[in-house]
Amino acid sequence: MKKKNNSLLNRLFMALVFVFLYAPIVLLIVFSFNAGNSNTVWKGFSLDWYAKLLHNRLIMQSVYTTLLVSLLATVIATVAGTFAAIGFYAMRRKLRDPLMTINNIPMMNADIVTGVSLCLFFVAFFGLWGDFASWFNGMQHLVRLPTRLTMGFGTLLIAHICFNIPYVILSVGPKLRQMDKNLVDAAMDLGCTWMQAFRKVILPEIKPGIVSGALTAFTMSIDDFVISYFTAGSSASTLAMTIYGMTKKRVTPEINAISTLLFVTVLVLLAIVNIREARQERRRSAELHRV
Amino acid sequence: MSKELIRLRDLCMAFDDEPVLNHINLYINDKEFLTLLGPSGCGKTTTLRIIGGFATPTSGDVLFDGVRINDVPPYQRQINTVFQKYALFPHLNVYENIAFGLRMQRRPDPNDPTGKRKVKIPEEEIDQRVMEMLEVISLKGFEHRKPDALSGGQQQRVAIARALVNRPKVLLLDEPLGALDLKLRKDMQIELKRIQQQVGITFIYVTHDQEEALTMSDTIVVMDKGCIQQIGTPEDIYNEPKNAFVADFIGESNIIDGVMVRDKIVKMYGREFPCLDGGFGENEPVDVVIRPEDIDIVPVEQGQLTGTVTNVTFKGMQYDIIVDFRGFKWLIQTTDHSPVGARIGIKIDPDGIHVMKKSQYSGMFGDYSSFSEEYDELDDASLALDEEESGDEE
């Protein structure tokens, strides 16, 4: 009797947790399809708000910025992170372990701290750059360096690359460690230079890790708000920043629609990452069992 | 057989100031089967890696056909390697694994009179050579399997084919049979020897298994603590070990403190034994090696020495019995059973006694007081071998 009661309570509690977790998102999604422009009264199904999005220049511009910055940051961070992971792998453990800890800090660090510190860094750098550029321009008249740099797409991209690299390293590192370390020697023994060995042997071996790392990095980039907010300056705006800006005015279901799209994109990306990881894990344990 | 191919001149190697190789001098003949034999951490794998070009010696030279090759990268050496645990490329099938080296090769274009232009090996030739190798290793029909769908022995053979297809002058083998079970290991020993004779090139083989070394080698190099302890044919090494380490590492030995009274007379336990050795100083202290199979058990009154049996183990072909001679325990292998506690006499023929100079290893080996433990240690050693010397590079 008591037991049954208990399990009922359990279920109720579970249900509540899920309601609190997901009700806001469900509400957001549902009202993105609302025919009226209210977030509380249902006036029938329509795709109007999605259609409107396409004609909103501000939103389309920020979608473009977001995709471009995420793609570029992902590509650059994946290349840099992969080679960094190989560097870590080749290091002695005494050196590698503390450096890996340092690599992990930015992921744990509060976004706002990362954002503010990057912002301060850029401002400080621009100051120094201004002094240098005026001195340089005064010295000669062949090349003119811009003396005033401001935050914008460039700084946004650098910031995204920065916070993406650790995720790539973290995802490529284990793949390298699982690899038979004689493989590179074997490739070089059979006539490869190091670069050829990297392309023909290391790369196929660590490819799953690289792809997972890139997907994670892309996901992180696409939905980042805090760090972008501090490093984009006034000339560039990501989707998350635009949505934030829109909420300051009147909230229309247009926000629901764009948020829904962002939510679905991130959800799909995360699902892909997780399914890939689960599949690799299963394959690995199957291999271990056979041995 | 007698042409010199590789010479190691005064090779030294240290990792973090920890010496791994000390003044290694060695020459290796063309078409020779040479084995580097020694316990974990003796420097044998490091020596092999230096020959292969995967490690650079701290000092000393590696000569190939008389040319110094210290700074030649592995991909430019006419040497191929079969790695510990094979290191097959997991993403390629058997065919592509074997063809890997051929696809990397570039050779002078036969149609280019200047001989400067390099071309790939044509696909038909690659195909023909890979198929030929599959025949040699008897794995025809396995071309499209991935390495992880092969048994250990099959992977082993693919690794050999992948190296041999490049027609190297030297094949390096790093404990290639370490991961196989006993039965397969025996078969592969014969198979390897056959392949070596068939292709007619130099094999340099690294192992910690003395029996493997004795079975296959033309020459054995026994190493310990980064030094060469002895170089010789299997017979030399077994019959004429240079010091207590070699005597103990190769086969079973009783090693007894003795004094060389004069040529052909050695004194142990206060009693003079005739032997065949000479050239020592008068009354020079020596180590005396007596192999367990060279000892005859005789009635007490006829024995040169008498002792008490303390342990008997049945081994199939023979009994291993431990006999206590005044506190020093000997291992004797005999077909006659003697019960524990029995007093027995022993007789040793002059050719069963081998006298060695005293060395740093004197007194460390050759006593069977801890008989059972010694066997356990041996087992542990072979188990621990997977990680063996990989620590070297760390």
Side-chain angles (χ1 to χ4, degrees):
Chain A
M1 176 75 183
K2 194 165 185 217
K3 209 173 175 188
K4 205 175 176 189
N5 215 350
N6 213 346
S7 89
L8 194 74
L9 248 164
N10 266 342
R11 280 180 198 190
L12 198 72
F13 183 69
M14 271 274 276
L16 268 174
V17 166
F18 274 101
V19 166
F20 274 108
L21 272 180
Y22 290 106
I25 295 172
V26 171
L27 203 70
L28 176 109
I29 295 173
V30 166
F31 279 97
S32 74
F33 296 107
N34 194 2
N37 69 356
S38 160
N39 255 325
T40 42
V41 191
W42 181 253
K43 294 245 175 89
F45 182 86
S46 97
L47 289 172
D48 284 356
W49 296 111
Y50 287 90
K52 260 202 167 155
L53 278 183
L54 295 174
H55 301 292
N56 187 329
R57 283 196 54 142
L58 188 66
I59 285 179
M60 287 326 279
Q61 177 63 41
S62 53
V63 165
Y64 173 74
T65 307
T66 304
L67 284 179
L68 192 65
V69 84
S70 302
L71 277 174
L72 281 176
T74 300
V75 169
I76 296 169
T78 303
V79 173
T82 301
F83 280 101
I86 291 173
F88 277 131
Y89 171 67
M91 267 178 198
R92 286 155 192 284
R93 182 166 284 133
K94 255 193 229 153
L95 202 62
R96 187 207 304 151
D97 288 352
L99 281 175
M100 276 309 281
T101 312
I102 293 174
N103 175 61
N104 293 344
I105 290 174
M107 290 185 288
M108 317 288 206
N109 198 7
D111 277 1
I112 189 145
V113 178
T114 308
V116 168
S117 57
L118 276 166
C119 172
L120 292 177
F121 173 79
F122 288 135
V123 169
F125 174 76
F126 291 158
L128 287 174
W129 173 261
D131 292 347
F132 169 76
S134 346
W135 171 80
F136 188 79
N137 290 340
M139 293 284 290
Q140 45 81 47
H141 297 283
L142 294 169
V143 190
R144 281 206 71 75
L145 292 177
T147 50
R148 261 205 54 172
L149 295 177
T150 51
M151 291 202 282
F153 187 81
T155 50
L156 183 66
L157 180 61
I158 292 171
H160 276 239
I161 294 169
C162 282
F163 75 74
N164 276 339
I165 285 178
Y167 291 99
V168 179
I169 294 179
L170 205 66
S171 134
V172 174
K175 285 280 160 249
L176 280 166
R177 261 169 277 134
Q178 281 162 27
M179 192 176 78
D180 180 347
K181 64 181 171 160
N182 277 332
L183 283 184
V184 181
D185 281 348
M188 289 179 76
D189 187 68
L190 294 167
C192 289
T193 60
W194 191 89
M195 241 0 243
Q196 287 172 318
F198 172 75
R199 223 179 51 230
K200 286 176 183 286
V201 178
I202 303 181
L203 212 52
E205 280 297 292
I206 62 174
K207 204 168 73 190
I210 296 177
V211 175
S212 297
L215 281 171
T216 315
F218 190 69
T219 315
M220 292 292 156
S221 261
I222 263 207
D223 76 347
D224 173 72
F225 169 70
V226 179
I227 297 172
S228 304
Y229 187 77
F230 282 100
T231 53
S234 52
S235 60
S237 174
T238 66
L239 188 54
M241 288 165 67
T242 306
I243 294 173
Y244 174 72
M246 286 162 72
T247 57
K248 284 183 172 167
K249 295 171 217 149
R250 219 176 60 80
V251 180
T252 69
E254 215 175 353
I255 291 183
N256 295 32
I258 187 67
S259 302
T260 301
L261 288 180
L262 189 58
F263 171 76
V264 171
T265 311
V266 172
L267 190 72
V268 167
L269 283 170
L270 280 178
I272 294 173
V273 172
N274 284 325
I275 289 169
R276 281 176 56 88
E277 265 161 21
R279 201 179 290 162
Q280 280 163 31
E281 196 54 46
R282 213 174 315 137
R283 199 173 307 147
R284 227 158 63 79
S285 67
E287 254 166 50
L288 284 178
H289 276 293
R290 192 167 38 221
V291 174
Chain B
M1 179 81 189
S2 57
K3 194 177 150 282
E4 176 183 313
L5 189 64
I6 292 177
R7 178 176 284 269
L8 306 181
R9 200 158 51 195
D10 210 27
L11 218 54
C12 291
M13 181 77 168
F15 293 114
D16 293 334
D17 300 329
E18 187 81 26
V20 181
L21 293 180
N22 293 312
H23 304 285
I24 299 291
N25 281 291
L26 177 68
Y27 68 89
I28 299 158
N29 286 327
D30 198 15
K31 300 188 175 48
E32 187 175 14
F33 197 123
L34 180 128
T35 301
L36 301 172
L37 175 66
S40 308
C42 74
K44 55 192 192 299
T45 296
T46 306
T47 308
L48 196 79
R49 289 178 63 81
I50 289 174
I51 298 173
F54 308 112
T56 315
T58 316
S59 68
D61 294 322
V62 185
L63 304 183
F64 188 92
D65 243 348
V67 183
R68 186 174 178 277
I69 56 164
N70 283 34
D71 309 314
V72 177
Y75 50 87
Q76 283 170 5
R77 300 190 181 195
Q78 288 174 300
I79 297 174
N80 286 111
T81 310
V82 176
F83 291 89
Q84 220 169 13
K85 290 185 245 153
Y86 330 128
L88 296 176
F89 304 127
H91 63 289
L92 300 177
N93 63 25
V94 169
Y95 184 98
E96 286 303 322
N97 260 285
I98 298 177
F100 192 94
L102 297 177
R103 294 204 195 285
M104 294 311 301
Q105 255 180 58
R106 300 289 179 272
R107 59 186 179 195
D109 186 351
N111 301 323
D112 181 21
T114 64
K116 275 188 187 147
R117 224 173 62 207
K118 298 280 174 90
V119 289
K120 290 182 177 187
I121 297 179
E123 202 59 35
E124 310 86 76
E125 187 186 332
I126 290 179
D127 191 61
Q128 183 217 326
R129 279 167 74 174
V130 170
M131 285 309 178
E132 220 170 84
M133 277 328 296
L134 281 167
E135 190 108 42
V136 173
I137 59 167
S138 25
L139 276 183
K140 267 209 151 152
F142 286 74
E143 301 84 290
H144 301 297
R145 295 254 195 122
K146 286 279 176 73
D148 62 5
L150 298 176
S151 71
Q154 290 167 336
Q155 289 183 28
Q156 175 57 60
R157 300 208 297 264
V158 174
I160 293 168
R162 184 180 68 173
L164 283 179
V165 76
N166 304 293
R167 298 184 184 150
K169 285 204 170 154
V170 179
L171 186 69
L172 308 180
L173 301 106
D174 186 4
E175 305 252 6
L177 309 184
L180 305 181
D181 61 52
L182 188 65
K183 172 83 176 64
L184 204 53
R185 209 149 64 203
K186 301 256 183 218
D187 294 345
M188 280 303 292
Q189 287 174 13
I190 298 164
E191 181 79 2
L192 269 177
K193 189 74 193 165
R194 179 186 69 74
I195 293 175
Q196 193 245 345
Q197 279 155 356
Q198 188 181 341
V199 295
I201 60 165
T202 309
F203 274 35
I204 304 177
Y205 191 94
V206 159
T207 184
H208 67 281
D209 183 335
Q210 44 110 0
E211 194 221 311
E212 221 166 87
L214 292 173
T215 313
M216 293 190 286
S217 319
D218 298 318
T219 306
I220 296 178
V221 178
V222 185
M223 294 180 71
D224 185 47
K225 295 183 183 150
C227 298
I228 293 180
Q229 302 295 335
Q230 186 168 1
I231 305 176
T233 64
E235 289 86 353
D236 285 346
I237 301 262
Y238 189 84
N239 294 329
E240 307 283 331
K242 265 212 182 117
N243 60 34
F245 174 81
V246 179
D248 181 73
F249 198 77
I250 314 285
E252 297 289 340
S253 328
N254 301 293
I255 303 173
I256 300 109
D257 271 336
V259 173
M260 205 64 192
V261 179
R262 56 181 181 275
D263 277 1
K264 306 201 174 178
I265 296 292
V266 65
K267 197 162 156 188
M268 296 179 283
Y269 291 94
R271 210 198 138 110
E272 291 187 355
F273 289 77
C275 65
L276 302 177
D277 300 272
F280 293 87
E282 207 158 291
N283 289 323
E284 183 180 337
V286 290
D287 286 334
V288 183
V289 177
I290 300 161
R291 296 286 184 189
E293 68 272 20
D294 292 335
I295 304 168
D296 294 324
I297 295 182
V298 293
V300 173
E301 56 278 10
Q302 292 170 29
Q304 289 168 304
L305 288 173
T306 56
T308 313
V309 177
T310 61
N311 193 314
V312 179
T313 317
F314 179 59
K315 287 281 173 175
M317 260 171 53
Q318 88 272 350
Y319 294 98
D320 279 4
I321 67 176
I322 303 293
V323 184
D324 188 332
F325 293 100
R326 297 190 218 155
F328 195 90
K329 293 190 176 168
W330 293 34
L331 171 68
I332 299 176
Q333 288 169 343
T334 169
T335 49
D336 306 319
H337 179 260
S338 307
V340 172
R343 293 284 296 169
I344 55 162
I346 57 157
K347 217 168 125 334
I348 309 153
D349 289 336
D351 65 359
I353 292 176
H354 172 65
V355 183
M356 308 178 302
K357 282 199 188 294
K358 285 279 181 190
S359 68
Q360 54 161 326
Y361 295 105
S362 296
M364 289 166 62
F365 304 109
D367 177 15
Y368 286 87
S369 302
S370 48
F371 183 64
S372 54
E373 284 98 296
E374 178 150 350
Y375 268 63
D376 286 345
E377 265 169 42
L378 280 179
D379 283 344
D380 288 349
S382 49
L383 280 178
L385 254 146
D386 272 0
E387 285 126 72
E388 205 244 327
E389 288 188 334
S390 44
D392 273 0
E393 295 107 44
E394 267 290 323

